[in-house]
Amino acid sequence: MKILVPVKRVVDYNVKVRVKPDQSGVDLANVKMSMNPFCEIAVEEAVRMKEKGGVDEIIVVSIGPQQAQETIRTALAMGADRGILIKTDDAVEPLAVAKLLAKVVEEESPELVILGKQAIDDDCNQTGQMLGALLDWPQATFASEVAVANGKANVTREIDGGLQTISVEMPAIITTDLRLNEPRYASLPNIMKAKRKPIDVKAPGDFGVDTAARLKVLKVSEPPKREAGIKVESVAELVDKLKNKEGVI
Ligand code: AMP
């Protein structure tokens, strides 16, 4: 079985992002970038499946600038076998990403595509679902447990009311939730080995996909600063403030 894992290069989750002075977006100059945490979980899950047996190859694919190759190398050091970089300096929206991934799926014929449930830069949470629709494949989103057997994936999903377990026929799309696993750190020998693993470099045009933006960002702004709290002397004063000052009751 082949597994395809799309990985996105995003601002590292430890970075406190700054909005550009003209409010056109987030300032990315000299900011640490890393693999999207949910994509790390997806790579880890694929590698664990391979370690258990029954997986022949894990292919990672990233759509982004030249530096996204580093993100692919990180996945290769974790245990993936080869990479595909679809190189572009443009911001690519989830629909175009899903269209490109659908073309890669056509070429590579994986039985599973494991994506992150969302990328922590734009928080879209759309790509896996759009890819499922484009391919007309079953999808199991927000996975916290995955078991593959007899051409089916049994996936436990984190939903509002608790956990839901579903069974999907493969080929299928899975998106990872936070509690699925704890990704490993790549060891030094594996980092060295990853340098020799192949990465194919392509362009969106090679797949005939138009990546032009469909959305227009009007402005990006910081969340309002939290105001200091106040102490009240009595319940009566609290109720009065909630009723007459804040207007919440
Ligand atoms: P999103 O729908 O943007 O929140 O992203 C969900 C998931 O789709 C990510 O965790 C990745 O697995 C995949 N994805 C999104 N954008 C890209 C990209 N530019 N390159 C590769 N994978 C991506």
Side-chain angles (χ1 to χ4, degrees):
M1 158 162 107
K2 255 193 205 181
I3 304 180
L4 183 73
V5 185
V7 294
K8 188 174 187 190
R9 179 177 183 267
V10 297
V11 174
D12 187 272
Y13 72 97
N14 285 308
V15 170
K16 181 164 179 341
V17 291
R18 286 183 317 264
V19 171
K20 285 186 193 166
D22 66 358
Q23 296 196 308
S24 62
V26 165
D27 193 356
L28 295 180
N30 303 318
V31 167
K32 183 175 182 223
M33 306 289 282
S34 302
M35 190 191 305
N36 178 44
F38 292 105
C39 301
E40 277 187 342
I41 295 172
V43 174
E44 176 66 32
E45 196 61 20
V47 173
R48 287 187 191 189
M49 283 183 194
K50 190 171 178 200
E51 286 168 346
K52 274 193 206 147
V55 175
D56 308 303
E57 194 180 30
I58 301 168
I59 306 158
V60 283
V61 52
S62 193
I63 298 142
Q66 178 61 34
Q67 296 92 315
Q69 208 163 35
E70 292 160 23
T71 312
I72 294 176
R73 287 270 173 233
T74 305
L76 297 177
M78 286 172 73
D81 297 289
R82 70 182 159 93
I84 302 169
L85 170 65
I86 305 178
K87 202 167 119 184
T88 170
D89 287 325
D90 300 333
V92 185
E93 291 169 4
L95 181 59
V97 171
K99 285 181 182 169
L100 287 167
L101 294 177
K103 296 282 182 191
V104 174
V105 167
E106 235 171 65
E107 278 183 9
E108 299 286 352
S109 309
E111 276 87 70
L112 268 184
V113 183
I114 311 181
L115 306 94
K117 77 164 178 183
Q118 75 193 61
I120 62 163
D121 49 1
D122 295 329
D123 275 343
C124 284
N125 181 354
Q126 294 169 1
T127 310
Q129 295 87 331
M130 286 176 169
L131 180 61
L134 290 172
L135 295 171
D136 199 16
W137 282 12
Q139 52 175 295
T141 50
F142 316 139
S144 64
E145 209 180 315
V146 177
V148 170
N150 307 323
K152 287 194 175 138
N154 290 327
V155 179
T156 304
R157 311 180 55 232
E158 300 205 357
I159 58 170
D160 278 352
L163 297 175
Q164 177 192 50
T165 303
I166 58 170
S167 176
V168 290
E169 297 270 351
M170 297 200 295
I173 308 287
I174 293 175
T175 74
T176 61
D177 216 320
L178 203 59
R179 279 161 284 271
L180 179 59
N181 61 49
E182 220 171 281
R184 70 195 63 194
Y185 289 104
S187 64
L188 190 60
N190 285 344
I191 294 173
M192 301 311 287
K193 251 191 246 163
K195 289 185 198 282
R196 290 192 301 273
K197 292 184 180 175
I199 299 179
D200 217 1
V201 182
K202 307 220 170 185
D206 298 342
F207 298 95
V209 172
D210 171 17
T211 56
R214 261 66 166 178
L215 302 175
K216 191 172 164 203
V217 175
L218 300 180
K219 89 173 177 188
V220 175
S221 50
E222 303 244 357
K225 292 253 179 316
R226 220 176 138 180
E227 285 180 24
I230 55 160
K231 275 190 181 164
V232 289
E233 296 297 330
S234 65
V235 173
E237 192 190 341
L238 173 66
V239 171
D240 176 60
K241 286 218 183 314
L242 292 176
K243 209 179 209 166
N244 301 319
K245 185 156 184 276
E246 304 298 334
V248 290
I249 57 170

